[in-house]
């Protein structure tokens, strides 16, 4: 069994993408976030233990996968996550939360969300989700929660031990112009 | 189940520690990111990875597969939240 280096690289690229996406629009790194996300998903989905693509996308359903199920499980997870993100975005857009009420967008979004739900539960590579499969990962989830607690502890420790940062310097003329233009554009002014 | 409680716990811990270190390095800003926090996070990740070197690849695979299966409940929970948003914002709702 090969080391899952490709899965690690793919997962790391996805984390990097989410981190960059959280940065402000002024950072060049944020513009690279979609590229990093697509690259990470590509590495995750194309990865195979034998470095071949002999197993097709649905090999888990017809029980023809190789010696480990991890690659097909990851592909399966990527598929339902993408469906959920696209469907959820359409539902939020169509429901009027972020704009006008749009029935077409709402209906299409719900169809995709239900497809994600069906794909994640019914068309699982192992057949279907059982209670045992939901209880088995409890040690892993507890480990993740412990990791999160340790992270919170490190943040609190670093904030208490380091002096607070000095106030940010005032904006220069160019930065003021950019801020003014952005505000005018969003408030209905002409902008530049 | 092919992994023990300790091995599964360690895999989960390594996942979180690694993700946080990657996040800190990816969003590093000179004079704004705490060097103490980065150092502590990298040491935490290094130690947890060193401990996980004892785990076999199969155990790591089984742990991640089990975790992926449990995440399959996310669309169910998300659809309930989306249903609440849809009904709250529908035309005619108060």
């Amino acid at each position: 069994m090969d080391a899952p280096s490709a899965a690690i690289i793919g997962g790391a690229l996805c984390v990097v993408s989410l981190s960059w996406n959280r940065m402000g629009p002024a950072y060049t790194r944020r513009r690279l976030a979609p590229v990093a996300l697509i690259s990470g998903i590509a590495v995750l989905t194309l990865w195979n233990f034998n470095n071949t693509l002999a197993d097709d996308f649905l090999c888990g359903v017809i029980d023809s996968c190789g010696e480990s199920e991890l690659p097909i499980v990851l592909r399966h997870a990527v598929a339902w996550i993408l469906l959920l993100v696209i469907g959820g975005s359409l539902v939020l857009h169509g429901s009027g939360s972020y704009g006008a009420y749009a029935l077409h967008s709402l209906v299409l979004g719900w169809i995709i969300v239900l497809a994600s739900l069906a794909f994640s539960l019914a068309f699982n590579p192992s057949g279907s989700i059982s209670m045992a499969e939901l209880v088995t990962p409890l040690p892993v989830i507890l480990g993740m929660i412990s990791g999160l607690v340790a992270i919170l502890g490190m943040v609190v420790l670093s904030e208490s031990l380091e002096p607070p940062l000095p106030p940010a310097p005032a904006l220069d003329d160019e930065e003021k112009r950019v801020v003014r233009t952005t505000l005018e554009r969003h408030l209905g002014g002409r902008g530049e | 189940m092919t992994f023990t409680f300790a091995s599964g716990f360690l895999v989960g811990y390594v996942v979180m520690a690694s993700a946080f270190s990657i996040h800190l390095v990816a969003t590093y800003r000179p004079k704004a990111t705490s060097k103490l926090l980065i150092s502590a996070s990298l040491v935490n990740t290094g130690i947890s990875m060193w401990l996980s070197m004892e785990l076999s690849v199969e155990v790591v695979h089984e742990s991640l597969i089990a975790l992926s299966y449990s995440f399959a409940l996310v669309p169910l929970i998300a659809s309930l939240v989306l249903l609440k948003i849809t009904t709250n914002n529908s035309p005619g709702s108060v």
Side-chain angles (χ1 to χ4, degrees), chain A residues 63-81:
Chain A
D63 198 22
S64 65
C65 289
E67 56 184 308
S68 173
E69 282 187 336
L70 186 55
I72 189 68
V73 168
L74 287 177
R75 285 177 222 170
H76 176 262
V78 167
W80 69 251
I81 288 170

PDB file of all heavy atoms in Angstrom, chain A residues 63-81:
ATOM      1  N   ASP A  63     -18.300  -2.549  -6.587  1.00  0.00           N
ATOM      2  CA  ASP A  63     -17.346  -3.386  -5.869  1.00  0.00           C
ATOM      3  C   ASP A  63     -16.190  -3.853  -6.756  1.00  0.00           C
ATOM      4  O   ASP A  63     -15.881  -5.048  -6.816  1.00  0.00           O
ATOM      5  CB  ASP A  63     -18.066  -4.603  -5.263  1.00  0.00           C
ATOM      6  CG  ASP A  63     -17.221  -5.242  -4.161  1.00  0.00           C
ATOM      7  OD1 ASP A  63     -16.352  -4.545  -3.615  1.00  0.00           O
ATOM      8  OD2 ASP A  63     -17.444  -6.428  -3.888  1.00  0.00           O
ATOM      9  N   SER A  64     -15.558  -2.922  -7.466  1.00  0.00           N
ATOM     10  CA  SER A  64     -14.438  -3.317  -8.306  1.00  0.00           C
ATOM     11  C   SER A  64     -13.190  -2.501  -7.979  1.00  0.00           C
ATOM     12  O   SER A  64     -12.287  -2.380  -8.785  1.00  0.00           O
ATOM     13  CB  SER A  64     -14.807  -3.111  -9.781  1.00  0.00           C
ATOM     14  OG  SER A  64     -14.999  -1.731 -10.031  1.00  0.00           O
ATOM     15  N   CYS A  65     -13.159  -1.890  -6.768  1.00  0.00           N
ATOM     16  CA  CYS A  65     -12.033  -1.040  -6.395  1.00  0.00           C
ATOM     17  C   CYS A  65     -10.801  -1.890  -6.084  1.00  0.00           C
ATOM     18  O   CYS A  65     -10.883  -3.110  -5.940  1.00  0.00           O
ATOM     19  CB  CYS A  65     -12.380  -0.192  -5.176  1.00  0.00           C
ATOM     20  SG  CYS A  65     -13.558   1.093  -5.557  1.00  0.00           S
ATOM     21  N   GLY A  66      -9.682  -1.201  -5.933  1.00  0.00           N
ATOM     22  CA  GLY A  66      -8.431  -1.870  -5.610  1.00  0.00           C
ATOM     23  C   GLY A  66      -8.363  -2.269  -4.154  1.00  0.00           C
ATOM     24  O   GLY A  66      -9.384  -2.511  -3.526  1.00  0.00           O
ATOM     25  N   GLU A  67      -7.153  -2.275  -3.605  1.00  0.00           N
ATOM     26  CA  GLU A  67      -6.985  -2.821  -2.265  1.00  0.00           C
ATOM     27  C   GLU A  67      -7.425  -1.862  -1.154  1.00  0.00           C
ATOM     28  O   GLU A  67      -7.639  -2.287  -0.039  1.00  0.00           O
ATOM     29  CB  GLU A  67      -5.531  -3.218  -2.056  1.00  0.00           C
ATOM     30  CG  GLU A  67      -4.559  -2.086  -2.290  1.00  0.00           C
ATOM     31  CD  GLU A  67      -3.129  -2.547  -2.166  1.00  0.00           C
ATOM     32  OE1 GLU A  67      -2.817  -3.155  -1.147  1.00  0.00           O
ATOM     33  OE2 GLU A  67      -2.346  -2.308  -3.087  1.00  0.00           O
ATOM     34  N   SER A  68      -7.499  -0.582  -1.418  1.00  0.00           N
ATOM     35  CA  SER A  68      -7.974   0.362  -0.408  1.00  0.00           C
ATOM     36  C   SER A  68      -9.119   1.180  -0.973  1.00  0.00           C
ATOM     37  O   SER A  68      -9.139   1.508  -2.150  1.00  0.00           O
ATOM     38  CB  SER A  68      -6.850   1.298   0.022  1.00  0.00           C
ATOM     39  OG  SER A  68      -7.366   2.294   0.879  1.00  0.00           O
ATOM     40  N   GLU A  69     -10.044   1.531  -0.088  1.00  0.00           N
ATOM     41  CA  GLU A  69     -11.206   2.298  -0.522  1.00  0.00           C
ATOM     42  C   GLU A  69     -10.983   3.798  -0.422  1.00  0.00           C
ATOM     43  O   GLU A  69     -11.834   4.570  -0.853  1.00  0.00           O
ATOM     44  CB  GLU A  69     -12.415   1.942   0.346  1.00  0.00           C
ATOM     45  CG  GLU A  69     -13.079   0.648   0.021  1.00  0.00           C
ATOM     46  CD  GLU A  69     -14.360   0.463   0.825  1.00  0.00           C
ATOM     47  OE1 GLU A  69     -14.473   1.080   1.890  1.00  0.00           O
ATOM     48  OE2 GLU A  69     -15.222  -0.281   0.371  1.00  0.00           O
ATOM     49  N   LEU A  70      -9.841   4.223   0.165  1.00  0.00           N
ATOM     50  CA  LEU A  70      -9.668   5.642   0.444  1.00  0.00           C
ATOM     51  C   LEU A  70      -9.775   6.530  -0.796  1.00  0.00           C
ATOM     52  O   LEU A  70     -10.470   7.545  -0.752  1.00  0.00           O
ATOM     53  CB  LEU A  70      -8.342   5.891   1.181  1.00  0.00           C
ATOM     54  CG  LEU A  70      -8.116   7.317   1.667  1.00  0.00           C
ATOM     55  CD1 LEU A  70      -9.265   7.797   2.533  1.00  0.00           C
ATOM     56  CD2 LEU A  70      -6.815   7.435   2.442  1.00  0.00           C
ATOM     57  N   PRO A  71      -9.123   6.192  -1.921  1.00  0.00           N
ATOM     58  CA  PRO A  71      -9.261   7.083  -3.080  1.00  0.00           C
ATOM     59  C   PRO A  71     -10.708   7.250  -3.528  1.00  0.00           C
ATOM     60  O   PRO A  71     -11.146   8.364  -3.787  1.00  0.00           O
ATOM     61  CB  PRO A  71      -8.438   6.381  -4.163  1.00  0.00           C
ATOM     62  CG  PRO A  71      -7.476   5.549  -3.426  1.00  0.00           C
ATOM     63  CD  PRO A  71      -8.193   5.099  -2.196  1.00  0.00           C
ATOM     64  N   ILE A  72     -11.459   6.160  -3.582  1.00  0.00           N
ATOM     65  CA  ILE A  72     -12.847   6.274  -4.050  1.00  0.00           C
ATOM     66  C   ILE A  72     -13.706   6.996  -3.015  1.00  0.00           C
ATOM     67  O   ILE A  72     -14.622   7.735  -3.367  1.00  0.00           O
ATOM     68  CB  ILE A  72     -13.427   4.873  -4.395  1.00  0.00           C
ATOM     69  CG1 ILE A  72     -14.776   5.011  -5.094  1.00  0.00           C
ATOM     70  CG2 ILE A  72     -13.588   4.008  -3.179  1.00  0.00           C
ATOM     71  CD1 ILE A  72     -14.712   5.612  -6.447  1.00  0.00           C
ATOM     72  N   VAL A  73     -13.388   6.804  -1.736  1.00  0.00           N
ATOM     73  CA  VAL A  73     -14.135   7.514  -0.695  1.00  0.00           C
ATOM     74  C   VAL A  73     -13.894   9.020  -0.807  1.00  0.00           C
ATOM     75  O   VAL A  73     -14.820   9.826  -0.680  1.00  0.00           O
ATOM     76  CB  VAL A  73     -13.727   6.995   0.707  1.00  0.00           C
ATOM     77  CG1 VAL A  73     -14.253   7.909   1.806  1.00  0.00           C
ATOM     78  CG2 VAL A  73     -14.254   5.592   0.917  1.00  0.00           C
ATOM     79  N   LEU A  74     -12.642   9.398  -1.087  1.00  0.00           N
ATOM     80  CA  LEU A  74     -12.330  10.818  -1.243  1.00  0.00           C
ATOM     81  C   LEU A  74     -13.037  11.401  -2.463  1.00  0.00           C
ATOM     82  O   LEU A  74     -13.579  12.503  -2.415  1.00  0.00           O
ATOM     83  CB  LEU A  74     -10.817  11.023  -1.358  1.00  0.00           C
ATOM     84  CG  LEU A  74     -10.027  10.832  -0.056  1.00  0.00           C
ATOM     85  CD1 LEU A  74      -8.532  10.994  -0.313  1.00  0.00           C
ATOM     86  CD2 LEU A  74     -10.470  11.837   1.000  1.00  0.00           C
ATOM     87  N   ARG A  75     -13.029  10.664  -3.575  1.00  0.00           N
ATOM     88  CA  ARG A  75     -13.723  11.148  -4.781  1.00  0.00           C
ATOM     89  C   ARG A  75     -15.217  11.318  -4.505  1.00  0.00           C
ATOM     90  O   ARG A  75     -15.838  12.286  -4.923  1.00  0.00           O
ATOM     91  CB  ARG A  75     -13.549  10.155  -5.923  1.00  0.00           C
ATOM     92  CG  ARG A  75     -12.173  10.198  -6.550  1.00  0.00           C
ATOM     93  CD  ARG A  75     -12.054   9.151  -7.605  1.00  0.00           C
ATOM     94  NE  ARG A  75     -10.743   8.513  -7.511  1.00  0.00           N
ATOM     95  CZ  ARG A  75     -10.397   7.427  -8.164  1.00  0.00           C
ATOM     96  NH1 ARG A  75     -11.266   6.821  -8.941  1.00  0.00           N
ATOM     97  NH2 ARG A  75      -9.194   6.932  -8.051  1.00  0.00           N
ATOM     98  N   HIS A  76     -15.755  10.335  -3.802  1.00  0.00           N
ATOM     99  CA  HIS A  76     -17.172  10.367  -3.451  1.00  0.00           C
ATOM    100  C   HIS A  76     -17.476  11.585  -2.581  1.00  0.00           C
ATOM    101  O   HIS A  76     -18.457  12.313  -2.812  1.00  0.00           O
ATOM    102  CB  HIS A  76     -17.494   9.069  -2.711  1.00  0.00           C
ATOM    103  CG  HIS A  76     -18.889   8.984  -2.206  1.00  0.00           C
ATOM    104  ND1 HIS A  76     -19.213   9.286  -0.906  1.00  0.00           N
ATOM    105  CD2 HIS A  76     -20.029   8.649  -2.809  1.00  0.00           C
ATOM    106  CE1 HIS A  76     -20.507   9.120  -0.745  1.00  0.00           C
ATOM    107  NE2 HIS A  76     -21.029   8.737  -1.875  1.00  0.00           N
ATOM    108  N   ALA A  77     -16.587  11.856  -1.593  1.00  0.00           N
ATOM    109  CA  ALA A  77     -16.794  13.012  -0.706  1.00  0.00           C
ATOM    110  C   ALA A  77     -16.709  14.315  -1.497  1.00  0.00           C
ATOM    111  O   ALA A  77     -17.515  15.224  -1.297  1.00  0.00           O
ATOM    112  CB  ALA A  77     -15.764  12.998   0.418  1.00  0.00           C
ATOM    113  N   VAL A  78     -15.725  14.398  -2.397  1.00  0.00           N
ATOM    114  CA  VAL A  78     -15.582  15.608  -3.218  1.00  0.00           C
ATOM    115  C   VAL A  78     -16.842  15.823  -4.050  1.00  0.00           C
ATOM    116  O   VAL A  78     -17.334  16.957  -4.178  1.00  0.00           O
ATOM    117  CB  VAL A  78     -14.335  15.500  -4.127  1.00  0.00           C
ATOM    118  CG1 VAL A  78     -14.361  16.577  -5.202  1.00  0.00           C
ATOM    119  CG2 VAL A  78     -13.068  15.629  -3.307  1.00  0.00           C
ATOM    120  N   ALA A  79     -17.409  14.735  -4.572  1.00  0.00           N
ATOM    121  CA  ALA A  79     -18.597  14.852  -5.430  1.00  0.00           C
ATOM    122  C   ALA A  79     -19.776  15.430  -4.645  1.00  0.00           C
ATOM    123  O   ALA A  79     -20.410  16.392  -5.093  1.00  0.00           O
ATOM    124  CB  ALA A  79     -18.958  13.484  -6.007  1.00  0.00           C
ATOM    125  N   TRP A  80     -20.077  14.864  -3.463  1.00  0.00           N
ATOM    126  CA  TRP A  80     -21.246  15.379  -2.737  1.00  0.00           C
ATOM    127  C   TRP A  80     -20.995  16.748  -2.139  1.00  0.00           C
ATOM    128  O   TRP A  80     -21.926  17.551  -1.989  1.00  0.00           O
ATOM    129  CB  TRP A  80     -21.818  14.380  -1.741  1.00  0.00           C
ATOM    130  CG  TRP A  80     -21.040  14.025  -0.505  1.00  0.00           C
ATOM    131  CD1 TRP A  80     -20.421  12.844  -0.252  1.00  0.00           C
ATOM    132  CD2 TRP A  80     -20.838  14.831   0.667  1.00  0.00           C
ATOM    133  NE1 TRP A  80     -19.835  12.866   0.991  1.00  0.00           N
ATOM    134  CE2 TRP A  80     -20.073  14.075   1.573  1.00  0.00           C
ATOM    135  CE3 TRP A  80     -21.204  16.113   1.033  1.00  0.00           C
ATOM    136  CZ2 TRP A  80     -19.671  14.554   2.813  1.00  0.00           C
ATOM    137  CZ3 TRP A  80     -20.806  16.598   2.273  1.00  0.00           C
ATOM    138  CH2 TRP A  80     -20.060  15.815   3.143  1.00  0.00           C
ATOM    139  N   ILE A  81     -19.735  17.060  -1.797  1.00  0.00           N
ATOM    140  CA  ILE A  81     -19.434  18.403  -1.277  1.00  0.00           C
ATOM    141  C   ILE A  81     -19.652  19.453  -2.375  1.00  0.00           C
ATOM    142  O   ILE A  81     -20.256  20.501  -2.138  1.00  0.00           O
ATOM    143  CB  ILE A  81     -17.983  18.462  -0.739  1.00  0.00           C
ATOM    144  CG1 ILE A  81     -17.878  17.674   0.568  1.00  0.00           C
ATOM    145  CG2 ILE A  81     -17.552  19.911  -0.503  1.00  0.00           C
ATOM    146  CD1 ILE A  81     -16.467  17.470   1.062  1.00  0.00           C
TER     147      ILE A  81
END
